Amino acid sequence: MARDDLGLDTIVAGLRCRDVLDALSDYLDNSLLTERRLAVERHLAGCDRCARFGGDVSEMLSAFRRALPAPSPIGVERSARLRASIKHAQGVAPT
Amino acid sequence: MSTTAEDDAALLRRTAAGDLSAFDTIVDRHEAAVHRFVMTLGGDDVDDVLQETFISAWRSAASYHGTGTVRSWLLSIARNIHRHQVRDAVRQPANSALTIPLDALAERAGWGRDPAEQRRLDTALARDVLVRAFRQLMAEEREVLVLRELEGYSGDETAAALGLTVAAMKSRLHRARLHLAAAVRQLDSPHPESGGAHGT
């Protein structure tokens, strides 16, 4: 059951904060239909808590994309081991 | 469908018909992406997962029906092999993290926080905190974040790689983002609570 001691059922510009929370990822991915996106933006313009939270999550995701180190490339040796194992499975002598 | 995807599908058809050189091209094209994915999933058996993935793909080339890209098909194979290996090595704890109500998750992630709460994502501390927070997440959450946030795959391709509908993938992505935010907030707190982001 949904709880509302957080104030998520507060309605601003015709939308509950809970609805904006549900739509947040799609909003950040710009994958909401135009009408829905505009409704979310009207809510955000009048709701400090949702605007702050959305900004926090967006900022965190940007930092995450920059922060997580790219995995090391496969490398010549690992690639060679991969190809040798495939050739072995295929019953073909590695070249 | 892109030209590359059509070419890949054709290569797999040739592979299924016994053309080994066609499969060599599949390996050339996708070994780097599959390797990155496996590396990010973690574990000590990167070579094993990588090799089993491509050997399995070669053996089952005829089962590829072109409903997703070949890359997403390869990633789904890698994911299944990785999960089997992890499951074999360590019995995973029950995953209560995936069932936490969204309200509670949002609260942990900072919904309704005091505007005065200090946030340090723009400091040198951020990188370490974000990496540690990511590592706290469940495998299902790490997978979807890697594919969408780091690899930049489309929603369709991510869903196909994870064996989910697009709607289910979006739901998982949303929760994964909130979990990540909750873990970051907990780790970034001057007085972190015990129990981690998935504690109750």
Side-chain angles (χ1 to χ4, degrees):
Chain A
M1 180 179 292
R3 45 187 281 235
D4 195 38
D5 46 333
L6 290 175
L8 281 165
D9 286 328
T10 303
I11 297 174
V12 176
L15 270 188
R16 296 181 306 167
C17 296
R18 183 182 306 285
D19 300 324
V20 174
L21 173 65
D22 288 344
L24 180 60
S25 270
D26 283 339
Y27 177 71
L28 294 177
D29 291 338
N30 200 26
S31 62
L32 289 177
L33 296 175
T34 302
E35 187 177 337
R36 187 68 171 170
R37 177 174 57 78
L38 293 174
V40 168
E41 288 177 349
R42 283 192 295 271
H43 179 100
L44 292 174
C47 178
D48 286 345
R49 285 183 299 188
C50 283
R52 187 180 312 120
F53 186 67
D56 286 351
V57 172
S58 176
E59 179 191 359
M60 182 277 299
L61 289 173
S62 296
F64 171 68
R65 292 182 200 110
R66 292 192 303 269
L68 206 71
S72 54
I74 185 167
V76 175
E77 291 184 3
R78 177 164 280 159
S79 179
R81 289 196 296 273
L82 168 63
R83 286 152 199 278
S85 73
I86 293 170
K87 294 301 177 193
H88 179 76
Q90 292 172 333
V92 177
T95 54
Chain B
M1 182 179 287
S2 70
T3 302
T4 299
E6 290 169 359
D7 289 347
D8 281 347
L11 287 168
L12 274 188
R13 283 194 294 274
R14 284 168 49 199
T15 298
D19 183 345
L20 298 183
S21 69
F23 194 69
D24 290 344
T25 305
I26 291 287
V27 176
D28 289 344
R29 285 183 181 176
H30 299 295
E31 64 175 352
V34 176
H35 177 256
R36 278 199 304 276
F37 183 56
V38 173
M39 287 286 286
T40 314
L41 294 178
D44 298 326
D45 297 323
V46 173
D47 271 321
D48 285 351
V49 175
L50 195 61
Q51 291 168 17
E52 281 195 44
T53 296
F54 280 98
I55 290 170
S56 176
W58 170 67
R59 288 184 171 139
S60 57
S63 71
Y64 173 74
H65 298 302
T67 50
T69 64
V70 169
R71 182 172 65 173
S72 65
W73 180 69
L74 289 168
L75 295 181
S76 70
I77 294 171
R79 173 176 176 265
N80 288 334
I81 289 171
H82 178 268
R83 295 182 98 182
H84 276 294
Q85 292 206 352
V86 170
R87 195 177 301 136
D88 288 346
V90 182
R91 188 160 185 85
Q92 295 292 294
N95 190 355
S96 60
L98 296 177
T99 58
I100 296 172
L102 204 60
D103 292 17
L105 196 50
E107 184 178 22
R108 291 180 196 182
W111 199 93
R113 72 172 171 85
D114 184 336
E117 180 181 311
Q118 190 177 11
R119 291 174 53 77
R120 298 177 290 184
L121 279 178
D122 57 346
T123 71
L125 183 69
R127 185 187 180 97
D128 177 58
V129 166
L130 285 157
V131 171
R132 286 166 56 208
F134 175 70
R135 288 178 180 158
Q136 283 188 5
L137 303 184
M138 304 302 295
E140 291 88 344
E141 297 170 332
R142 292 200 307 272
E143 290 167 353
V144 74
L145 285 172
V146 165
L147 296 178
R148 289 290 280 148
E149 303 293 348
L150 304 181
E151 296 290 345
Y153 289 2
S154 70
D156 286 346
E157 193 168 15
T158 302
L162 300 180
L164 299 171
T165 63
V166 172
M169 183 280 297
K170 283 184 171 186
S171 173
R172 184 174 296 181
L173 176 64
H174 188 42
R175 296 182 67 87
R177 286 168 164 172
L178 295 184
H179 266 139
L180 183 65
V184 166
R185 185 164 179 253
Q186 193 246 338
L187 288 169
D188 198 32
S189 164
H191 306 290
E193 299 165 14
S194 60
H198 291 153
T200 53

